[in-house]
Amino acid sequence: MFGRNPRESGNEEQFNFPGESENEEQFNFPNVNLQSDRPGEIYQADSQDTVLQSDSEKSELVGNVEKISRIISPYFIVLIGLGLYDSNFLIGLILIVAGILYLFKVSTRDIAHAWEWLRDTLGIGKD
């Protein structure tokens, strides 16, 4: 309709893929092993141009993310508690207290010692 039909083309040239004819040089793809023996590598190739991420770089990245998470998470817990404080007093208060205790690195052992001290001071639980 708008031109010649591709089957009726006047150009009878055929495209030869590399390696089909004997007088052309062959094209070889590089050998790439997609399954690596080491878990830290994404893939292993024969060429030196490939940049691989090693286990130490990954572990360093994971360590940095964990450090940042330890710093940010108590503030996030307190902010969520402050947001819930108006709509649900009890859950908001629990989250605020938990976030503040986490910020001050208070453990359950510290809380148990404080409870024992309070009981001994008030004379509760003595037989």
Side-chain angles (χ1 to χ4, degrees), residues 6-85:
R7 293 183 191 160
E8 298 172 7
S9 168
N11 189 0
E12 294 295 324
E13 272 185 48
Q14 278 191 335
F15 180 75
N16 291 330
F17 289 102
E20 283 186 0
S21 65
E22 295 174 10
N23 59 357
E24 294 180 17
E25 65 181 69
Q26 286 189 343
F27 179 76
N28 294 326
F29 291 100
N31 295 330
V32 176
N33 181 10
L34 296 178
Q35 295 178 350
S36 176
D37 295 335
R38 291 182 266 170
E41 293 181 351
I42 297 171
Y43 65 93
Q44 180 180 2
D46 292 337
S47 68
Q48 296 292 335
D49 297 336
T50 306
V51 178
L52 301 176
Q53 190 173 13
S54 67
D55 291 334
S56 63
E57 290 173 355
K58 277 191 175 182
S59 64
E60 182 180 337
L61 178 66
V62 170
N64 290 339
V65 170
E66 286 177 355
K67 288 177 186 176
I68 292 170
S69 175
R70 276 189 234 131
I71 294 169
I72 292 176
S73 62
Y75 295 104
F76 182 73
I77 292 170
V78 170
L79 287 175
I80 296 298
L82 288 172
L84 289 175
Y85 188 77

